[in-house]
Coordinates of all heavy atoms in Angstrom, one line a residue:
M1 N 16.1 -26.6 38.7 CA 16.9 -25.3 38.7 C 16.6 -24.5 39.9 O 15.5 -24.2 40.2 CB 16.5 -24.6 37.3 CG 17.4 -23.4 37.1 SD 17.0 -22.6 35.4 CE 15.4 -21.8 35.8
A2 N 17.7 -23.9 40.5 CA 17.5 -23.1 41.6 C 17.3 -21.7 41.3 O 18.2 -21.2 40.4 CB 18.7 -23.3 42.6
I3 N 16.4 -21.1 41.7 CA 16.1 -19.7 41.3 C 16.4 -18.8 42.5 O 15.8 -19.0 43.6 CB 14.7 -19.5 40.7 CG1 14.5 -20.0 39.3 CG2 14.4 -17.9 40.6 CD1 13.2 -20.0 38.8
N4 N 17.2 -17.9 42.4 CA 17.4 -16.9 43.5 C 16.5 -15.7 43.3 O 16.8 -14.9 42.6 CB 19.0 -16.5 43.5 CG 19.3 -15.5 44.7 OD1 18.4 -15.4 45.6 ND2 20.5 -15.1 44.7
Y5 N 15.5 -15.7 44.0 CA 14.5 -14.6 43.8 C 15.1 -13.4 44.4 O 14.7 -12.2 43.9 CB 13.2 -14.9 44.7 CG 12.5 -16.1 44.1 CD1 12.4 -17.2 45.1 CD2 12.0 -16.2 42.9 CE1 11.8 -18.4 44.6 CE2 11.2 -17.3 42.6 CZ 11.1 -18.6 43.4 OH 10.5 -19.6 43.0
K6 N 16.0 -13.4 45.3 CA 16.6 -12.2 45.9 C 17.7 -11.8 45.2 O 18.8 -11.3 45.8 CB 16.8 -12.5 47.5 CG 15.5 -12.8 48.3 CD 15.8 -12.9 49.7 CE 15.7 -11.6 50.5 NZ 15.9 -11.7 51.8
K7 N 17.6 -11.8 43.9 CA 18.8 -11.3 43.1 C 18.0 -10.4 42.1 O 17.2 -10.7 41.4 CB 19.5 -12.3 42.3 CG 20.5 -11.8 41.5 CD 21.4 -12.9 40.9 CE 22.3 -12.5 39.7 NZ 22.7 -13.6 38.8
C8 N 18.5 -9.2 42.0 CA 17.9 -8.1 41.2 C 17.9 -8.5 39.7 O 19.1 -8.6 39.2 CB 18.5 -6.6 41.4 SG 17.8 -5.4 40.4
P9 N 16.7 -8.6 39.0 CA 16.8 -8.8 37.6 C 17.2 -7.7 36.8 O 17.4 -7.7 35.7 CB 15.2 -9.2 37.2 CG 14.5 -9.1 38.6 CD 15.5 -8.5 39.7
N10 N 17.2 -6.5 37.3 CA 17.6 -5.3 36.6 C 19.1 -5.1 36.7 O 19.7 -4.6 35.6 CB 16.9 -4.1 37.3 CG 16.9 -2.8 36.4 OD1 16.8 -2.8 35.3 ND2 17.2 -1.9 37.1
C11 N 19.7 -5.2 37.8 CA 21.2 -4.9 37.9 C 22.0 -6.1 38.4 O 23.2 -5.9 38.5 CB 21.3 -3.7 38.7 SG 21.1 -3.8 40.5
G12 N 21.3 -7.2 38.7 CA 22.1 -8.4 39.3 C 22.5 -8.2 40.7 O 23.3 -9.1 41.2
S13 N 22.3 -7.2 41.4 CA 22.6 -7.0 42.8 C 21.9 -7.9 43.7 O 20.8 -8.4 43.4 CB 22.3 -5.6 43.3 OG 22.5 -5.5 44.6
T14 N 22.6 -8.4 44.8 CA 21.9 -9.1 45.8 C 21.7 -8.3 47.1 O 21.3 -8.9 48.1 CB 22.8 -10.4 46.1 OG1 24.1 -10.1 46.6 CG2 22.8 -11.4 45.0
N15 N 21.8 -7.1 46.9 CA 21.5 -6.0 48.0 C 20.1 -5.9 48.0 O 19.5 -4.7 47.6 CB 22.3 -4.9 47.8 CG 22.4 -4.1 49.1 OD1 21.9 -4.4 50.0 ND2 23.0 -2.8 48.9
V16 N 19.3 -6.9 48.3 CA 17.8 -6.9 48.0 C 17.0 -7.2 49.4 O 17.4 -7.9 50.2 CB 17.6 -8.0 47.0 CG1 16.0 -8.4 47.0 CG2 18.0 -7.6 45.7
L17 N 15.8 -6.4 49.5 CA 15.0 -6.6 50.7 C 13.7 -7.3 50.2 O 13.2 -7.1 49.2 CB 14.7 -5.3 51.3 CG 15.9 -4.4 51.7 CD1 15.3 -3.0 52.2 CD2 16.6 -5.0 52.7
G18 N 13.1 -8.1 51.1 CA 11.8 -8.6 51.0 C 10.8 -7.4 51.4 O 11.0 -6.7 52.2
I19 N 9.7 -7.3 50.5 CA 8.7 -6.5 50.8 C 7.5 -7.0 51.7 O 7.1 -8.0 51.3 CB 8.1 -5.7 49.6 CG1 9.2 -5.1 48.7 CG2 7.0 -4.7 49.9 CD1 8.8 -4.6 47.4
L20 N 7.2 -6.4 52.7 CA 6.2 -7.0 53.7 C 4.9 -6.1 53.5 O 5.0 -4.9 53.6 CB 6.7 -6.9 55.1 CG 5.7 -7.4 56.3 CD1 5.9 -8.9 56.3 CD2 6.3 -6.9 57.6
Y21 N 3.8 -6.8 53.3 CA 2.6 -6.0 53.2 C 1.7 -6.3 54.5 O 1.9 -7.2 55.2 CB 1.8 -6.6 51.9 CG 2.5 -6.1 50.6 CD1 3.4 -7.0 50.1 CD2 2.2 -4.9 50.1 CE1 4.0 -6.6 48.9 CE2 2.8 -4.5 49.0 CZ 3.7 -5.4 48.3 OH 4.4 -4.9 47.3
G22 N 0.7 -5.5 54.5 CA -0.2 -5.4 55.7 C 0.3 -4.5 56.8 O 1.4 -3.9 56.7
M23 N -0.5 -4.5 57.9 CA 0.0 -3.6 59.0 C 1.1 -4.1 59.6 O 1.1 -5.4 60.2 CB -1.3 -3.6 60.0 CG -2.2 -2.5 59.6 SD -1.6 -0.8 59.6 CE -1.4 -0.5 61.4
P24 N 2.2 -3.4 59.6 CA 3.5 -4.0 60.3 C 3.4 -4.2 61.7 O 2.7 -3.3 62.4 CB 4.5 -2.8 59.9 CG 3.7 -1.6 59.7 CD 2.4 -2.1 59.1
T25 N 3.8 -5.2 62.3 CA 4.0 -5.4 63.6 C 5.0 -4.5 64.2 O 5.9 -4.0 63.3 CB 4.4 -6.8 64.1 OG1 5.6 -7.1 63.4 CG2 3.5 -7.8 63.5
H26 N 5.2 -4.3 65.4 CA 6.3 -3.5 66.1 C 7.8 -4.0 65.5 O 8.6 -3.2 65.1 CB 6.3 -3.5 67.6 CG 7.2 -2.6 68.2 ND1 7.2 -1.2 67.9 CD2 8.4 -2.8 69.0 CE1 8.3 -0.6 68.6 NE2 8.9 -1.6 69.2
E27 N 7.8 -5.3 65.5 CA 9.1 -6.0 65.1 C 9.4 -5.7 63.7 O 10.6 -5.4 63.3 CB 8.9 -7.5 65.4 CG 10.3 -8.2 65.2 CD 10.2 -9.6 65.2 OE1 9.1 -10.2 65.2 OE2 11.2 -10.5 65.1
A28 N 8.4 -5.8 62.8 CA 8.5 -5.5 61.4 C 9.0 -4.0 61.2 O 9.8 -3.7 60.4 CB 7.3 -5.8 60.7
F29 N 8.3 -3.1 62.0 CA 8.6 -1.7 61.9 C 10.1 -1.5 62.3 O 10.8 -0.7 61.6 CB 7.7 -0.9 62.8 CG 7.5 0.5 62.4 CD1 6.5 0.6 61.3 CD2 8.1 1.5 63.0 CE1 6.3 2.0 60.9 CE2 7.9 2.8 62.5 CZ 6.9 3.1 61.4
L30 N 10.6 -2.2 63.3 CA 12.0 -2.0 63.7 C 12.9 -2.5 62.6 O 13.9 -2.0 62.3 CB 12.3 -2.7 64.9 CG 11.6 -2.1 66.2 CD1 12.0 -3.0 67.5 CD2 12.2 -0.7 66.5
K31 N 12.5 -3.6 62.0 CA 13.4 -4.2 60.8 C 13.3 -3.3 59.8 O 14.4 -3.1 59.1 CB 12.7 -5.6 60.4 CG 13.2 -6.7 61.3 CD 12.7 -8.0 60.7 CE 13.2 -9.1 61.5 NZ 12.9 -10.5 60.9
A32 N 12.2 -2.6 59.4 CA 12.3 -1.7 58.3 C 13.1 -0.5 58.6 O 13.9 0.1 57.7 CB 10.8 -1.2 58.2
E33 N 13.0 -0.1 59.9 CA 13.9 1.1 60.3 C 15.5 0.8 60.1 O 16.1 1.6 59.8 CB 13.6 1.4 61.8 CG 12.3 2.1 61.9 CD 12.4 3.6 61.8 OE1 12.9 4.2 62.7 OE2 11.7 4.1 60.8
A34 N 15.7 -0.6 60.5 CA 17.0 -0.9 60.3 C 17.5 -1.3 59.0 O 18.6 -1.7 58.7 CB 17.3 -2.2 61.2
G35 N 16.5 -1.2 57.9 CA 16.9 -1.4 56.6 C 17.0 -2.9 56.3 O 17.6 -3.4 55.2
E36 N 16.2 -3.8 57.1 CA 16.3 -5.2 56.8 C 15.1 -5.8 55.9 O 15.2 -6.7 55.2 CB 16.3 -5.9 58.0 CG 17.6 -5.8 58.9 CD 17.4 -6.5 60.3 OE1 16.7 -7.4 60.4 OE2 18.1 -5.9 61.2
I37 N 14.1 -5.0 56.0 CA 12.9 -5.3 55.2 C 12.3 -3.9 54.5 O 12.6 -2.9 55.0 CB 11.8 -6.1 55.9 CG1 11.3 -5.3 57.0 CG2 12.2 -7.4 56.2 CD1 10.0 -5.8 57.7
K38 N 11.5 -4.1 53.6 CA 10.7 -2.8 53.2 C 9.3 -3.0 53.3 O 8.7 -4.0 53.1 CB 11.1 -2.7 51.6 CG 10.5 -1.4 51.0 CD 10.9 -1.2 49.6 CE 10.1 -0.3 48.8 NZ 10.1 1.1 49.3
L39 N 8.5 -2.0 53.9 CA 7.3 -2.1 54.1 C 6.4 -1.6 52.8 O 6.8 -0.6 52.3 CB 6.8 -1.2 55.3 CG 7.5 -1.5 56.6 CD1 7.0 -0.5 57.6 CD2 7.0 -2.9 57.0
G40 N 5.5 -2.5 52.3 CA 4.9 -2.3 51.1 C 3.5 -1.6 51.3 O 2.7 -1.4 50.3
G41 N 3.0 -1.3 52.6 CA 1.6 -0.7 52.7 C 0.6 -1.9 52.8 O 0.9 -3.2 52.7
C42 N -0.6 -1.5 53.1 CA -1.6 -2.5 53.4 C -2.6 -2.9 52.4 O -3.4 -3.8 52.5 CB -2.4 -2.0 54.6 SG -3.3 -0.5 54.4
C43 N -2.4 -2.3 51.3 CA -3.2 -2.6 50.1 C -2.6 -3.6 49.1 O -1.5 -3.3 48.5 CB -3.6 -1.3 49.2 SG -4.4 0.0 50.2
I44 N -3.3 -4.7 49.1 CA -2.7 -5.8 48.2 C -3.6 -6.0 47.0 O -4.6 -6.3 47.1 CB -2.5 -7.1 49.1 CG1 -1.6 -6.8 50.3 CG2 -1.9 -8.3 48.3 CD1 -1.8 -7.9 51.3
T45 N -2.9 -6.0 45.7 CA -3.7 -6.2 44.6 C -3.4 -7.5 43.9 O -4.2 -7.9 42.9 CB -3.3 -5.0 43.6 OG1 -1.8 -5.3 43.2 CG2 -3.3 -3.7 44.1
G46 N -2.5 -8.3 44.4 CA -2.3 -9.6 43.9 C -1.1 -9.6 42.9 O -0.6 -10.7 42.6
S47 N -0.8 -8.5 42.4 CA 0.6 -8.5 41.4 C 1.6 -7.6 42.1 O 2.4 -6.9 41.3 CB 0.0 -8.1 40.2 OG -0.5 -6.8 40.1
D48 N 1.7 -7.4 43.3 CA 2.6 -6.5 44.0 C 4.0 -7.1 44.0 O 4.0 -8.4 44.0 CB 2.1 -6.2 45.5 CG 0.8 -5.5 45.5 OD1 0.8 -4.3 45.1 OD2 -0.2 -6.1 45.9
P49 N 4.9 -6.3 43.8 CA 6.3 -6.8 44.0 C 6.7 -7.4 45.3 O 6.1 -6.9 46.4 CB 7.2 -5.6 43.7 CG 6.3 -4.5 44.0 CD 5.0 -4.8 43.6
E50 N 7.5 -8.4 45.4 CA 7.8 -9.0 46.7 C 9.3 -8.5 47.2 O 9.6 -8.9 48.3 CB 7.7 -10.6 46.6 CG 6.2 -10.9 46.3 CD 6.2 -12.4 46.0 OE1 6.4 -13.3 46.9 OE2 5.9 -12.7 44.8
Y51 N 10.0 -8.1 46.2 CA 11.3 -7.9 46.5 C 11.7 -6.5 46.0 O 11.1 -5.9 45.0 CB 12.3 -8.8 45.8 CG 11.9 -10.3 46.3 CD1 11.3 -11.1 45.5 CD2 12.3 -10.6 47.6 CE1 10.9 -12.4 46.0 CE2 12.0 -12.0 48.0 CZ 11.3 -12.8 47.2 OH 10.9 -14.0 47.7
Y52 N 12.8 -5.9 46.7 CA 13.0 -4.5 46.4 C 14.7 -4.3 46.4 O 15.4 -5.0 47.3 CB 12.5 -3.6 47.4 CG 13.2 -2.2 47.4 CD1 12.7 -1.2 46.5 CD2 14.1 -1.8 48.3 CE1 13.2 0.1 46.5 CE2 14.6 -0.5 48.3 CZ 14.2 0.4 47.4 OH 14.7 1.7 47.4
C53 N 15.2 -3.9 45.3 CA 16.6 -3.7 45.1 C 17.1 -2.4 45.8 O 16.7 -1.4 45.3 CB 17.1 -3.9 43.7 SG 18.8 -3.5 43.4
K54 N 18.1 -2.4 46.6 CA 18.5 -1.2 47.5 C 19.4 -0.5 46.5 O 19.6 0.7 46.6 CB 19.3 -1.6 48.7 CG 18.3 -2.0 49.7 CD 19.0 -2.7 51.0 CE 19.6 -1.7 52.0 NZ 20.1 -2.4 53.1
D55 N 19.9 -1.1 45.4 CA 20.9 -0.5 44.6 C 20.3 0.4 43.5 O 20.7 1.5 43.2 CB 21.9 -1.6 44.0 CG 22.9 -2.0 45.1 OD1 23.1 -1.3 46.1 OD2 23.5 -3.1 44.9
C56 N 19.2 -0.2 42.9 CA 18.7 0.6 41.7 C 17.1 0.7 41.9 O 16.5 1.3 41.0 CB 18.9 -0.3 40.3 SG 18.0 -1.8 40.2
E57 N 16.7 0.4 43.1 CA 15.3 0.6 43.5 C 14.2 -0.1 42.6 O 13.1 0.4 42.5 CB 14.9 2.2 43.5 CG 15.7 3.0 44.5 CD 15.4 4.5 44.6 OE1 14.8 4.9 43.8 OE2 15.8 5.1 45.6
H58 N 14.8 -1.1 42.0 CA 13.8 -2.0 41.1 C 13.0 -2.9 42.0 O 13.5 -3.3 43.0 CB 14.7 -2.8 40.2 CG 13.9 -3.6 39.3 ND1 13.0 -3.1 38.2 CD2 13.7 -5.0 39.1 CE1 12.4 -4.1 37.6 NE2 12.8 -5.3 38.0
E59 N 11.7 -3.1 41.7 CA 10.9 -4.0 42.4 C 10.3 -5.1 41.6 O 10.0 -4.9 40.5 CB 9.8 -3.2 43.1 CG 10.2 -2.2 44.1 CD 9.0 -1.3 44.6 OE1 7.9 -1.3 44.1 OE2 9.2 -0.7 45.7
W60 N 10.2 -6.3 42.1 CA 9.7 -7.4 41.3 C 9.1 -8.4 42.2 O 9.2 -8.4 43.5 CB 10.8 -8.0 40.6 CG 12.0 -8.7 41.3 CD1 11.9 -10.1 41.6 CD2 12.9 -8.1 41.9 NE1 13.0 -10.3 42.3 CE2 13.7 -9.1 42.6 CE3 13.5 -6.7 42.1 CZ2 14.8 -8.8 43.4 CZ3 14.7 -6.5 42.9 CH2 15.3 -7.6 43.5
N61 N 8.4 -9.5 41.6 CA 7.9 -10.5 42.3 C 8.5 -11.8 41.9 O 9.4 -11.9 40.9 CB 6.4 -10.6 42.3 CG 5.8 -10.6 40.9 OD1 6.4 -11.3 40.1 ND2 4.7 -9.9 40.7
K62 N 8.0 -13.0 42.5 CA 8.7 -14.2 42.2 C 8.4 -14.6 40.8 O 9.4 -15.2 40.1 CB 8.0 -15.3 43.1 CG 8.5 -15.4 44.5 CD 8.2 -16.8 45.1 CE 8.8 -16.9 46.5 NZ 8.2 -16.1 47.5
Q63 N 7.2 -14.4 40.2 CA 7.1 -14.7 38.8 C 8.0 -14.0 37.8 O 8.5 -14.7 36.9 CB 5.5 -14.3 38.4 CG 5.1 -14.9 37.0 CD 5.4 -16.4 36.9 OE1 4.9 -17.2 37.7 NE2 6.1 -16.8 35.8
Q64 N 8.2 -12.8 38.2 CA 9.1 -12.0 37.3 C 10.5 -12.5 37.5 O 11.3 -12.6 36.5 CB 9.1 -10.5 37.8 CG 7.7 -9.8 37.3 CD 7.5 -8.4 37.8 OE1 7.7 -8.3 39.1 NE2 7.2 -7.4 37.0
A65 N 11.0 -13.0 38.6 CA 12.3 -13.5 38.9 C 12.3 -14.8 38.0 O 13.4 -15.1 37.5 CB 12.5 -13.9 40.3
I66 N 11.3 -15.7 38.0 CA 11.3 -16.9 37.2 C 11.4 -16.5 35.7 O 12.2 -17.1 35.1 CB 10.0 -17.8 37.5 CG1 10.1 -18.2 39.0 CG2 9.9 -18.8 36.5 CD1 8.8 -18.8 39.4
D67 N 10.6 -15.7 35.3 CA 10.7 -15.2 33.8 C 12.1 -14.7 33.4 O 12.7 -15.0 32.4 CB 9.8 -14.2 33.5 CG 8.3 -14.5 33.7 OD1 8.1 -15.8 33.6 OD2 7.5 -13.6 33.7
Y68 N 12.7 -14.0 34.4 CA 14.0 -13.4 34.2 C 15.0 -14.6 34.1 O 15.9 -14.7 33.1 CB 14.4 -12.5 35.3 CG 15.9 -12.1 35.2 CD1 16.3 -11.2 34.2 CD2 16.8 -12.7 36.1 CE1 17.6 -10.8 34.0 CE2 18.2 -12.3 36.0 CZ 18.5 -11.4 35.1 OH 19.8 -10.9 34.9
E69 N 15.0 -15.5 35.0 CA 16.0 -16.7 35.0 C 15.7 -17.4 33.8 O 16.8 -17.9 33.1 CB 15.7 -17.6 36.2 CG 16.2 -17.0 37.5 CD 17.7 -16.9 37.6 OE1 18.5 -17.7 36.8 OE2 18.2 -16.0 38.3
Y70 N 14.5 -17.7 33.3 CA 14.3 -18.6 32.0 C 14.9 -17.7 30.9 O 15.5 -18.3 29.9 CB 12.9 -18.8 31.8 CG 12.5 -20.1 32.5 CD1 11.8 -20.0 33.8 CD2 12.7 -21.3 31.9 CE1 11.5 -21.3 34.4 CE2 12.4 -22.5 32.5 CZ 11.8 -22.4 33.9 OH 11.4 -23.6 34.5
N71 N 14.6 -16.5 30.8 CA 15.3 -15.7 29.7 C 16.8 -15.8 29.8 O 17.4 -15.9 28.6 CB 14.9 -14.1 29.9 CG 13.4 -14.0 29.5 OD1 12.8 -14.8 28.7 ND2 12.9 -12.9 30.0
Q72 N 17.4 -15.8 30.9 CA 18.8 -15.9 31.0 C 19.3 -17.2 30.5 O 20.3 -17.3 29.7 CB 19.2 -15.7 32.4 CG 19.1 -14.4 33.0 CD 20.2 -13.4 32.4 OE1 19.8 -12.6 31.5 NE2 21.4 -13.4 32.9
M73 N 18.5 -18.3 30.9 CA 18.9 -19.6 30.4 C 18.8 -19.8 28.9 O 19.8 -20.3 28.4 CB 17.9 -20.5 31.1 CG 18.4 -22.0 31.0 SD 17.1 -22.9 32.1 CE 15.7 -23.0 31.0
W74 N 17.8 -19.2 28.3 CA 17.7 -19.3 26.8 C 18.9 -18.5 26.1 O 19.4 -19.0 25.1 CB 16.4 -18.8 26.3 CG 15.3 -19.8 26.6 CD1 14.2 -19.6 27.4 CD2 15.1 -21.1 25.9 NE1 13.5 -20.7 27.4 CE2 13.9 -21.6 26.4 CE3 15.8 -21.7 24.9 CZ2 13.4 -22.8 26.1 CZ3 15.3 -22.9 24.5 CH2 14.1 -23.5 25.1
R75 N 19.3 -17.4 26.8 CA 20.3 -16.7 26.2 C 21.6 -17.4 26.3 O 22.6 -17.2 25.4 CB 20.4 -15.3 27.0 CG 20.5 -14.1 26.1 CD 20.5 -13.0 27.0 NE 19.0 -12.4 27.4 CZ 18.9 -11.5 28.4 NH1 19.8 -11.1 29.0 NH2 17.7 -11.3 28.7
L76 N 21.8 -18.3 27.2 CA 23.0 -19.1 27.2 C 23.1 -20.2 26.2 O 24.3 -20.7 26.0 CB 23.2 -19.6 28.7 CG 23.5 -18.5 29.8 CD1 23.4 -19.2 31.1 CD2 24.8 -17.8 29.6
L77 N 21.9 -20.7 25.8 CA 22.0 -21.8 24.9 C 22.5 -21.5 23.4 O 22.4 -20.3 23.0 CB 20.6 -22.4 24.7 CG 20.0 -22.9 25.9 CD1 18.5 -23.4 25.7 CD2 20.7 -24.3 26.3
Ligands
ZN1 ZN1 18.9 -3.6 41.1

């Protein structure tokens, strides 16, 4: 099963950015300025969101995307 991580589990939008952690490089900074990625700061706790929805500001990670897809699948049965 293909899972599209970059689809908002909250509103279904694909207007989604990847969140980058750590000290941003100059290139990353420019991308963030251009709205291509989102900077998540340098503190990583292990359960930080990896994606950010530009439409509803929801944030999630891969595990949450998988949980969401499985829930959707069960709902269809
Ligand atoms: Zn959304």
Side-chain angles (χ1 to χ4, degrees):
M1 187 175 74
I3 293 175
N4 183 7
Y5 299 114
K6 295 184 93 176
K7 183 179 164 191
C8 178
N10 193 45
C11 72
S13 170
T14 51
N15 198 5
V16 165
L17 301 179
I19 301 177
L20 182 78
Y21 290 94
M23 274 298 286
T25 60
H26 183 64
E27 192 190 0
F29 208 79
L30 292 177
K31 280 188 175 182
E33 288 275 288
E36 291 174 26
I37 58 170
K38 182 173 164 63
L39 297 177
C42 56
C43 300
I44 301 165
T45 64
S47 60
D48 295 292
E50 293 169 72
Y51 303 102
Y52 168 79
C53 175
K54 284 165 87 174
D55 287 342
C56 72
E57 300 186 342
H58 184 66
E59 295 179 342
W60 68 97
N61 59 33
K62 280 196 175 78
Q63 187 55 52
Q64 288 168 314
I66 291 168
D67 290 345
Y68 171 76
E69 287 292 335
Y70 272 98
N71 285 335
Q72 288 290 99
M73 195 171 72
W74 283 110
R75 232 174 275 167
L76 292 173
L77 290 174

